[in-house]
Structures are given as C-alpha cells and as structure tokens.
Amino acid sequence: MKKLLVATGGGDCPGLNAVIRGIVKRASRQKEWEVWGSYEALNGLMEEPIRLIRLDGKTVSGIHVKGGTILGTTNKGNPMSYPEKQADGSVKLVNRIPWLVDRLKGKGFDAVINIGGDGSQAISQAMFEAGMPVVGVPKTIDNDLNSTDFTFGFQTAVQTASESFDRLVTTASSHHRVMIMEVMGRDAGWIALYTAISGGAEVCLIPEIPYDLQAVAERLQGRYIDGRGFANIVIAEGAKAKDGTVTASKGEEGRHAVRLGGVCYTLSQQLKDAGIKADIRETVLGHTQRGGTPIAYDRVIASVFGVKAMELVLDGNFGQLVVLKNNDYTSVSIKEAISAYNYVDPNGTLVKAAKGLGIYFGD
Ligand code: F6P
C-alpha cells in the first residue's frame, strides 16, 4: 500500500471539502493508495506530536456540501520561512523544506496533494524540487491564480457578495443613500467586477485601476445624487486612489506585511471631503465571502479537481497543478502556474462590457 498526504493551506474557501472527498473517493477505486490528511496545512506533519488523520470513505461522506475544511487550515508556519526559536530567544526564519521532505519520506509518504493558493503552491513547487512527488490543487476566492479559468470558491464568494449587494440596492433606494460595499480581493478585483456586473453597480473600484477621486465624486454628483437619488458602489479591499495607498493595518509575522480591510470607510471620507452631501453608508463583507456552503458550480469544480489530482498521482504525473482551462479539466506545471498572476485586464472584455453597462471604474 502506498501512502498519500493531503493538506489544505492558506485562507479557507468554499469547496475545500469537496476536493478532499474527490481525492479519497477516486483513491478508493484503486485500493492501491492509503490517504491521510495533515491538520492545519502541513503543520500537522511538522509538529510533535504529529497530527494526521486517516481519510476514508466514512470520513469524507457527505462533506462536499459543507463549508470550511475538515482538515483545518492556516496561513502561518510557511515551511519555506519557518519561524524557529534560537538559543538566545530570538526568532529566525529558516527554510525547512529539506527537513519536511525527509519527514514525509520518514513517515512513509509516497506523494502529497497540496490544496492552496499561490503561497501554498510555491511550497508545493519547493517540495517537488526537493524530491517529493507533489500534485497541486488551486484554491482561492480571489480567483487570482494564473493558468486556470476559475479557482473553486470564487463563484460562491461572488454569489454571497451579489446577494448582499442586491439587499443594499433596495435600502439605498428607500433612503436615497450612497452605499459602499467592500469585498475581498487583495491584488485582483475579480469578485468586485463580477458583483458589479451581476448587481448593476454605478461604480466599481478595483486594485488594477487606481481611481481618480474627483472623477468618482463628479460621477456620483452628476448622474445619481442630482438624478436617481441613490447609488451603489462596490470596492475591492485592495483598491486605492491614484495618488493614494491601500487601506491596511499591520499584518502578522511570517505572512502578509499588511492586513487589508476598511477601504470603504476611506472612500466614504474621501467623498465627503470632496463635497458629496449624500448620506453615505459602508458595509464590509469580509469573511462571509469565505465561509458557508459552496454553490453547486464550485462543488462541481472542486469535486472534479479532487478526482483529477488523484488521477495525476495514479499516473505518476507530479509537479502538476490541476486546472480548468477553456472549459476542460487538465493540468499545467506548478512552476508555470506560479510564475504569473491572474489580474483583471483593465482593457479586457469584461471591463469593457461593464463599461458598456454604464459601470464607472474611476479611471
Ligand atoms: O487571499 C484570500 C483573502 O481572502 C484575501 O482577499 C484577503 O486579503 C486575505 O485572504 C485575508 O486573509 P485572513 O483571513 O487570513 O486575514
């Protein structure tokens, strides 16, 4: 019997459990592989005592409809820069990849399926280069991973954001207010863009298109405050004014240097300072976009990704990331996938279509 380790890393995302179930179900058809899960990304394997769980048909039964991940996850403890306490009490970031690969082999593991975003896939690639057979599965609600049309979880996040947006439209209309809704999207504005088109936003502000504040204020004043009497804006957490910086607080050690959030309050103040007299209200959707049940579309992508990832393991095709490309499920090398980032193209079809619908990007 060969041993496979599965891990879910980075921020959670609707569909993680469906991937785990897909892997285990496909593996059980062959009876050649025993599947194990590591708690909280690869930390479960790295810690003493070790924290692993045997994954079988019973463990994964029915979990595809559940949000979160039965394995837990973390975005701390990256083995490529692992915080290690030194004899003098100081903390040094060390590369523990060679140690991790030795540990995996020492515990009898023949392969790893690592489910995660760009950070986790950089770890997958490092493990692969250090001699560990690894397959990656792309995950993130932000849809910012290159080489795949969609990551699972993105459409669920859009659905959540879109439903919230619709609710804000009716209350904005009743009270003649300007509503600003902040969605996730650290470097890429996919959730904001899809929500703006789906909900019919007046203004959509994304990281890829720094906004001209005066122009946004004029747009609101001219077309809506003096006209329809209310307006709805969607803004991605990583958006910023042309001459401004992102709205953030201090991040955590070993992770992002800054934690994003609160840009809707920044924009609200900027609009007031620019002379907009409307009653402006702000809503931060935050982690509601990451939690909860995956919609059917994401369950399908995630389940197929799980099966495909296991098939790559069965075929001995390692160093690969499963992807959805041109409506087909296939794979690309992890190295290629992490070499670029999936930004919204400011001159692309979707932004042009949104502009055609009258959505203003502040450019
Ligand atoms: O990468 C996904 C994401 O949801 C980003 O949009 C956001 O900036 C980040 O994760 C937040 O992570 P955390 O919940 O760990 O603060």
Side-chain angles (χ1 to χ4, degrees):
M1 213 50 171
K2 291 183 186 166
K3 273 175 82 178
L4 169 74
L5 188 72
V6 178
T8 51
D12 66 347
C13 177
L16 283 167
N17 284 326
V19 180
I20 297 169
R21 176 173 168 273
I23 294 167
V24 174
K25 286 213 163 239
R26 183 64 186 86
S28 69
R29 317 239 153 260
Q30 228 76 14
K31 314 233 179 292
E32 179 196 335
W33 286 83
E34 195 176 276
V35 187
W36 290 77
S38 169
Y39 280 112
E40 286 174 18
L42 291 161
N43 288 359
L45 176 88
M46 294 168 76
E47 286 164 9
E48 209 58 76
I50 201 161
R51 288 189 300 142
L52 304 181
I53 175 181
R54 174 85 165 87
L55 296 171
D56 57 16
K58 223 171 164 186
T59 335
V60 301
S61 175
I63 64 168
H64 58 301
V65 301
K66 293 190 181 137
T69 158
I70 60 163
L71 295 176
T73 187
T74 180
N75 23 39
K76 289 187 186 142
N78 179 351
M80 290 167 79
S81 52
Y82 196 80
E84 231 172 50
K85 231 187 182 146
Q86 305 298 294
D88 63 1
S90 64
V91 175
K92 203 173 142 193
L93 296 177
V94 295
N95 177 12
R96 293 192 81 189
I97 294 289
W99 176 89
L100 179 62
V101 169
D102 280 352
R103 178 129 167 127
L104 277 159
K105 291 187 174 167
K107 296 285 173 196
F109 285 104
D110 301 283
V112 174
I113 295 182
N114 198 22
I115 311 165
D118 51 355
S120 302
Q121 297 316 331
I123 296 168
S124 301
Q125 181 60 21
M127 287 195 292
F128 179 64
E129 283 172 13
M132 191 70 213
V134 181
V135 166
V137 179
K139 164 250 51 154
T140 164
I141 62 161
D142 289 3
N143 199 39
D144 54 13
L145 262 165
N146 191 39
S147 299
T148 187
D149 295 343
F150 291 115
T151 49
F152 64 86
F154 167 66
Q155 300 288 359
T156 302
V158 169
Q159 189 66 32
T160 303
S162 206
E163 283 166 14
S164 301
F165 189 86
D166 292 348
R167 291 170 200 278
L168 290 171
V169 168
T170 58
T171 174
S173 145
S174 307
H175 285 269
H176 308 295
R177 284 174 171 155
V178 171
M179 294 285 192
I180 309 174
M181 188 177 91
E182 177 180 324
V183 297
M184 282 190 170
R186 201 175 178 85
D187 304 296
W190 291 109
I191 299 176
L193 176 58
Y194 270 68
T195 305
I197 294 174
S198 155
E202 274 76 45
V203 177
C204 172
L205 303 176
I206 59 175
E208 293 88 340
I209 309 177
Y211 59 90
D212 178 333
L213 176 68
Q214 207 48 46
V216 174
E218 276 163 26
R219 174 77 170 209
L220 282 177
Q221 188 64 44
R223 229 168 124 188
Y224 298 100
I225 311 297
D226 297 340
R228 192 162 71 156
F230 72 96
N232 285 79
I233 300 175
V234 59
I235 185 164
E237 60 180 354
K240 57 179 188 302
K242 272 186 176 149
D243 51 359
T245 50
V246 289
T247 303
S249 53
K250 200 175 168 305
E252 299 120 271
E253 205 173 316
R255 255 209 92 206
H256 298 302
V258 292
R259 182 185 288 178
L260 300 188
V263 70
C264 62
Y265 299 106
T266 304
L267 178 65
S268 175
Q269 193 55 53
Q270 288 172 334
L271 291 172
K272 283 173 197 155
D273 293 346
I276 293 293
K277 293 279 179 282
D279 188 3
I280 307 175
R281 299 300 172 99
E282 311 81 13
T283 304
V284 182
L285 286 195
H287 293 81
T288 58
Q289 297 156 94
R290 289 230 307 247
T293 306
I295 61 167
Y297 186 82
D298 280 332
R299 288 181 208 177
V300 173
I301 301 188
S303 300
V304 179
F305 274 0
V307 169
K308 288 296 268 186
M310 190 62 220
E311 283 174 353
L312 288 171
V313 171
L314 293 172
D315 293 346
N317 197 355
F318 295 106
Q320 294 285 303
L321 184 79
V322 292
V323 293
L324 173 64
K325 204 71 201 160
N326 303 326
N327 222 13
D328 189 24
Y329 290 89
T330 174
S331 70
V332 295
S333 79
I334 300 173
K335 196 172 181 182
E336 182 195 326
I338 59 175
S339 67
Y341 200 78
N342 183 26
Y343 293 109
V344 171
D345 178 358
N347 301 308
T349 317
L350 270 189
V351 171
K352 278 188 183 152
K355 287 183 174 175
L357 290 164
I359 298 169
Y360 188 57
F361 286 83
D363 50 346

